[in-house]
């Protein structure tokens, strides 16, 4: 299965007639006096840079997934789970419980929705090839798309976005609508942007070589994600983690133009180009003609540390809303949180429903 981030075009959210006063947006990142257990959060944070900061590789591999039993046990032993989670939730409230606040922030604006795939639309599973979206999530996606199509006839900008945009390989493989519309001749061929295309042969080589080199590690899975090679260790016995890390690092020595980062129980080998999901988000906003629009509210939902680049971009622009999908406290640039894909689905459906009702309400 190709792993892609999905950009659902727009959801127009008209001004609510009796909207509550706007709460400060974005919510503050850190509440004064809230103690953050640095070690745990640092472990969460450092991996995106590919430089494990605590106790070497195995420790960083362990920290890459807070669902890992030992990490959870360590937190529980410190007796800090509930306190930490409560403090974190103050800083990153649930997008469901603050739904009214979010739609109020979109007052008079159109929402452009950016959705990560793994861990956001589909649950995290052991086998990356089985990370399917549930039928109910698909129905939710369809509702958003259907809702969009309804708007398309009415608003010119919508027509430009008549189909979904996909950004795979951490934003290095962007594909837009292929169909022309009568309003949208310039985009007839769609947006296709692959800033790392020269790396394709190199990525292939690394993929093939790592398949061979990791054969001795039961449970290791090497995935070719076109512009990125993923080496999964979710099903590898922890005793073999350092060997696996050594294999991956040794492979990279021959490729100075590639770098190593980590995701959730996965090593990722990718080009050292200055491109990430944040840049992809900016590129898409630009391509869609939304870069300088004050009447557009980008909403980005993602679960991984690679999504932090997109959250950072929104925060820096002071435009849009970042929502992190996580059950566990993580250092994040997102403003809100959702616990799991089921909550993402609920949020999407509520948004569609809210918009439907807003349209039905009389405008005074
Ligand atoms: O940042 P993303 O676009 O979400 O991609 C990150 C990785 O996602 C996938 O791996 C993750 O999901 C797998 C399936 O649930 C899970 O087994 C794995 O442990 C997770 O890391 C994808 O398979 C990787 O290639 C991506 O790098």
């Amino acid at each position: 299965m190709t792993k892609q981030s999905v950009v659902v075009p727009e959801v127009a959210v008209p001004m609510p007639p009796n909207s509550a006063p706007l709460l400060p947006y974005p919510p503050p990142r850190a509440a004064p006096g809230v103690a953050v257990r640095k070690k745990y959060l640092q472990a969460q944070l450092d991996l995106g840079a590919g430089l494990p900061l605590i106790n070497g590789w195995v420790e960083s591999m362990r920290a890459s997934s807070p669902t890992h039993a030992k990490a959870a046990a360590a937190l529980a032993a410190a007796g800090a789970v509930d306190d930490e989670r409560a403090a974190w939730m103050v800083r990153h409230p649930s997008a469901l419980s603050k739904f009214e606040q979010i739609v109020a922030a979109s007052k008079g604006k159109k929402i452009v929705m950016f959705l990560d795939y793994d861990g956001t639309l589909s649950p995290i599973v052991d086998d990356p090839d089985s990370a399917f979206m549930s039928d109910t999530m698909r129905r939710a996606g369809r509702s958003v798309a259907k809702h969009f199509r309804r708007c398309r006839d009415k608003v010119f900008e919508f027509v430009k976005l008549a189909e979904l945009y996909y950004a795979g390989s951490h934003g290095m493989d962007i594909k837009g609508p292929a169909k022309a519309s009568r309003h949208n001749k310039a985009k007839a061929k769609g947006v296709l942007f692959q800033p790392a295309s020269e790396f394709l042969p190199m990525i292939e080589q690394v993929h093939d070589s790592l398949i061979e080199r990791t054969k001795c590690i039961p449970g290791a899975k090497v995935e070719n994600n076109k512009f990125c090679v993923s080496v999964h260790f979710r099903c590898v016995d922890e005793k073999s983690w350092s060997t696996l890390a050594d294999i991956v690092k040794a492979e990279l020595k021959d490729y100075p133009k590639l770098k190593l980062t980590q995701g959730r129980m996965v090593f990722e080998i990718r080009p050292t180009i200055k491109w990430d999901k944040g840049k992809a988000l900016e590129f898409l906003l630009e391509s869609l003609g939304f870069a300088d629009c004050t009447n557009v509210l980008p909403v980005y939902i993602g679960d991984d540390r690679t999504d932090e680049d997109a959250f950072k971009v929104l925060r820096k622009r002071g435009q849009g809303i970042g929502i992190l999908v996580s059950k566990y406290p993580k250092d994040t640039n997102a403003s809100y949180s959702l616990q799991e894909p089921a909550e993402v689905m609920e949020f999407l459906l509520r948004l569609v429903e809210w918009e439907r009702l807003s349209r039905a309400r009389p405008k005074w």
Side-chain angles (χ1 to χ4, degrees):
M1 178 195 301
T2 314
K3 297 296 161 56
Q4 303 179 105
S5 298
V6 181
V7 182
V8 175
E10 302 172 24
V11 180
V13 182
M15 191 182 296
N18 296 312
S19 57
L22 254 181
L23 292 163
Y25 180 79
R29 278 197 65 196
V34 174
V36 174
R37 296 194 316 104
K38 286 284 180 203
K39 184 177 168 188
Y40 174 73
L41 293 182
Q42 192 178 16
Q44 296 295 327
L45 186 64
D46 79 85
L47 301 165
L51 297 170
L53 300 178
I54 54 165
N55 303 336
W57 281 96
V58 171
E59 192 66 29
S60 80
M61 288 163 85
R62 194 174 290 138
S64 80
S65 177
T67 54
H68 190 270
K70 286 190 182 164
L75 282 176
V81 180
D82 291 346
D83 287 356
E84 182 170 310
R85 179 155 176 75
W88 189 78
M89 287 302 292
V90 170
R91 285 174 283 130
H92 308 285
S94 162
L96 285 170
S97 67
K98 296 289 179 188
F99 185 78
E100 294 304 327
Q101 183 177 328
I102 292 173
V103 288
S106 70
K107 197 163 135 182
K109 297 180 182 178
K110 282 168 276 179
I111 291 177
V112 186
M113 186 73 74
F114 295 82
L115 299 163
D116 178 45
Y117 183 76
D118 292 287
T120 299
L121 295 178
S122 72
I124 291 292
V125 291
D126 283 350
D127 176 10
D129 291 333
S130 305
F132 301 115
M133 223 163 103
S134 69
D135 286 344
T136 40
M137 181 65 94
R138 187 164 292 106
R139 277 199 290 276
R142 201 170 283 140
S143 295
V144 174
K146 194 168 132 204
H147 158 93
F148 162 72
R149 277 201 293 271
R150 197 181 67 224
C151 299
R152 181 176 59 176
D153 297 330
K154 298 185 183 167
V155 189
F156 167 65
E157 282 81 13
F158 276 15
V159 180
K160 283 198 286 190
L161 305 169
E163 294 174 30
L164 302 186
Y165 285 69
Y166 296 88
S169 289
H170 301 299
M172 288 181 284
D173 192 9
I174 297 179
K175 183 83 172 73
K179 272 195 216 153
S181 78
R182 65 198 159 95
H183 301 293
N184 189 22
K185 298 226 166 60
K187 294 244 165 47
K189 290 202 171 126
V191 177
L192 178 65
F193 189 60
Q194 297 179 329
S197 47
E198 69 190 272
F199 288 86
L200 272 176
M202 201 184 278
I203 292 285
E204 286 272 335
Q205 274 173 19
V206 170
H207 170 257
D208 295 350
S209 165
L210 279 173
I211 291 256
E212 275 312 301
R213 287 189 179 196
T214 58
K215 270 186 177 157
C216 56
I217 312 269
K221 181 166 172 94
V222 182
E223 207 187 348
N224 187 341
N225 281 329
K226 198 164 177 176
F227 295 107
C228 157
V229 178
S230 302
V231 181
H232 293 268
F233 53 89
R234 189 171 286 278
C235 296
V236 174
D237 189 305
E238 203 172 316
K239 289 192 195 91
S240 304
W241 283 7
S242 68
T243 314
L244 183 65
D246 287 345
I247 292 173
V248 173
K249 281 187 285 171
E251 177 71 26
L252 268 183
K253 278 195 185 128
D254 299 333
Y255 297 95
K257 287 189 171 173
L258 299 180
K259 66 178 174 184
L260 180 59
T261 60
Q262 262 185 265
R264 298 173 72 170
M265 296 277 185
V266 66
F267 286 122
E268 290 163 331
I269 295 138
R270 44 176 157 153
T272 48
I273 58 165
K274 287 192 175 146
W275 194 263
D276 53 38
K277 289 185 183 179
K279 294 267 192 316
L281 172 67
E282 283 180 319
F283 171 84
L284 279 165
L285 286 172
E286 186 77 39
S287 312
L288 302 176
F290 291 154
D292 301 314
C293 291
T294 48
N295 64 343
V296 163
L297 185 80
V299 174
Y300 188 105
I301 310 182
D303 71 308
D304 209 349
R305 48 181 58 91
T306 53
D307 297 308
E308 289 298 328
D309 295 314
F311 297 147
K312 248 183 253 170
V313 162
L314 293 183
R315 197 168 272 279
K316 203 167 123 202
R317 294 167 73 99
Q319 179 199 21
I321 292 177
I323 303 177
L324 175 72
V325 183
S326 178
K327 282 187 175 166
Y328 301 89
K330 283 184 184 176
D331 199 5
T332 180
N333 278 284
S335 304
Y336 297 92
S337 63
L338 289 168
Q339 291 209 33
E340 54 195 348
E343 286 200 355
V344 173
M345 185 173 73
E346 197 183 331
F347 179 78
L348 294 179
L349 289 175
R350 262 180 89 174
L351 204 55
V352 170
E353 184 61 5
W354 191 91
E355 195 278 334
R356 198 181 63 78
L357 292 175
S358 301
R359 282 172 181 274
R361 266 183 226 130
K363 306 278 180 294
W364 302 109

